[in-house]
Amino acid sequence: MSWGSWSEFIAMGGYGVYVWSAFVMCAVALALEAWLLALRRRNIVDYLRIGARQD
Amino acid sequence: MPMSISACLRYAAPQAFYALAGRLVPWFAAAAAAAAAAGLYVAFFVAPTDAQQGEVYRIIFVHVPAAWMSMFIYVVMAFWAAVGLAFNTRLSFMLAHALAPTGALFAFLALWTGAIWGKPTWGAWWVWDARLTSELILLFLYLGYVALNASIDDPRRGDRACALLALAGAVNVPVIYHSVQWSPMLHQSASMLMALAFWMYSIAMALARVRCVILEREQESAWAGAEFRGALQARPA
């Protein structure tokens, strides 16, 4: 598949809103999960660090 | 006992699996990124325009892998729940807990992308047919699992309650599978690569999450504290 131009690529044959909202939601959701997981890890690690210092 | 079985059993201990998972996460994350890059390239620059649907059909390159992962993760989650109930292995329940949020995410994405694909293709965002309804039930099962786990303070009781829910809900998976008309179009390389990307991503997330679950559960244990005492040179006994 070769696209004539950037704007043609973005337009997706008139279905741009549908195609990009599907792909962007996937990217956002997966990134959000990874970020929330990093926060969860930081929480428990910080808690253990404080505990370890008090030993 | 053969070497390989005893080696596997060694990793049934949360402490040993914590370290193993930590080594594996970067590899699965890298594989996911590589497969996603290849898959997106093929999805947008190699796959031709569909004769009937035009460009909008490209949504299936994320929709189908997401739907497939939402079912597959549920089966794996129910498997670990069953192993946990049968053998009372703590790590099995923890793996099931680690899979549930990622499964919920893919069930949500399957519904979201399906609605966006359905509107221009079939003329409706949503219909109450067997396929969509059973996928919605799958999302609710995942959310119910997570909520149930969060609402029970005693981890061992929570493990068992969640495992029973996971097993009871497993009956829903064949309903979804058989209500979908699996078109041969799904075997295109873009779908396969994106499915591989989501699969590797799910393993990376589940392993990273099970490490959090292990630390949270074992926070009173000596090894979990020692893990973060700087170097692991334990104090003299």
Side-chain angles (χ1 to χ4, degrees):
Chain A
M1 183 70 202
S2 58
W3 305 89
S5 66
W6 259 114
S7 53
E8 232 177 81
F9 180 66
I10 302 292
M12 279 289 146
Y15 293 112
V17 176
Y18 296 104
V19 172
W20 297 121
S21 58
F23 277 82
V24 167
M25 177 55 91
C26 290
V28 167
L30 299 191
L32 192 67
E33 186 190 15
W35 181 66
L36 287 174
L37 200 47
L39 283 186
R40 180 172 176 180
R41 166 138 184 106
R42 198 186 306 159
N43 271 340
I44 182 65
V45 166
D46 285 351
Y47 177 82
L48 288 169
R49 283 223 177 95
I50 292 165
R53 232 176 284 140
Q54 285 167 348
D55 276 350
Chain B
M1 186 179 290
M3 268 290 282
S4 55
I5 294 180
S6 63
C8 287
L9 285 180
R10 194 166 73 80
Y11 285 113
Q15 180 183 357
F17 193 79
Y18 176 86
L20 174 69
R23 287 197 298 277
L24 293 176
V25 168
W27 294 99
F28 284 107
L40 288 171
Y41 176 78
V42 176
F44 284 111
F45 297 104
V46 179
T49 306
D50 185 73
Q52 277 132 44
Q53 297 185 22
E55 308 298 349
V56 78
Y57 91 104
R58 290 177 201 278
I59 291 173
I60 69 163
F61 296 140
V62 281
H63 170 68
V64 172
W68 190 75
M69 281 316 297
S70 70
M71 285 185 279
F72 182 65
I73 289 176
Y74 197 94
V75 171
V76 178
M77 185 177 93
F79 168 79
W80 285 119
V83 171
L85 285 177
F87 301 106
N88 202 21
T89 39
R90 287 181 306 149
L91 183 63
S92 310
F93 294 117
M94 294 185 198
L95 284 168
H97 297 333
L99 286 161
T102 303
L105 184 87
F106 281 117
F108 163 74
L109 286 176
L111 291 167
W112 175 274
T113 57
I116 290 175
W117 179 45
K119 180 62 180 169
T121 311
W122 319 115
W125 299 106
W126 182 264
V127 287
W128 289 102
D129 68 1
R131 181 174 51 133
L132 274 62
T133 308
S134 53
E135 181 72 25
L136 184 66
I137 290 171
L138 184 70
L139 175 62
F140 289 157
L141 281 168
Y142 277 125
L143 296 180
Y145 182 103
V146 172
L148 185 65
N149 192 28
S151 67
I152 300 178
D153 287 331
D154 176 5
R156 305 305 295 262
R157 287 190 60 204
D159 284 350
R160 291 175 173 283
C162 286
L164 287 174
L165 175 64
L167 285 177
V171 70
N172 187 43
V173 172
V175 174
I176 308 176
Y177 188 85
H178 290 292
S179 62
V180 176
Q181 302 196 337
W182 298 97
S183 113
M185 194 156 74
L186 308 180
H187 295 290
Q188 291 188 5
S189 52
S191 307
M192 295 286 121
L193 283 166
M194 291 310 290
L196 181 67
F198 285 179
W199 198 14
M200 296 296 110
Y201 168 90
S202 302
I203 296 174
M205 285 297 118
L207 289 176
R209 189 175 290 108
V210 83
R211 276 163 63 84
C212 292
V213 174
I214 290 171
L215 285 183
E216 287 158 7
R217 290 276 179 98
E218 308 261 299
Q219 54 184 259
E220 308 302 334
S221 71
W223 76 267
E227 190 82 15
F228 298 99
R229 201 170 285 129
L232 260 174
Q233 307 124 349
R235 293 161 300 172

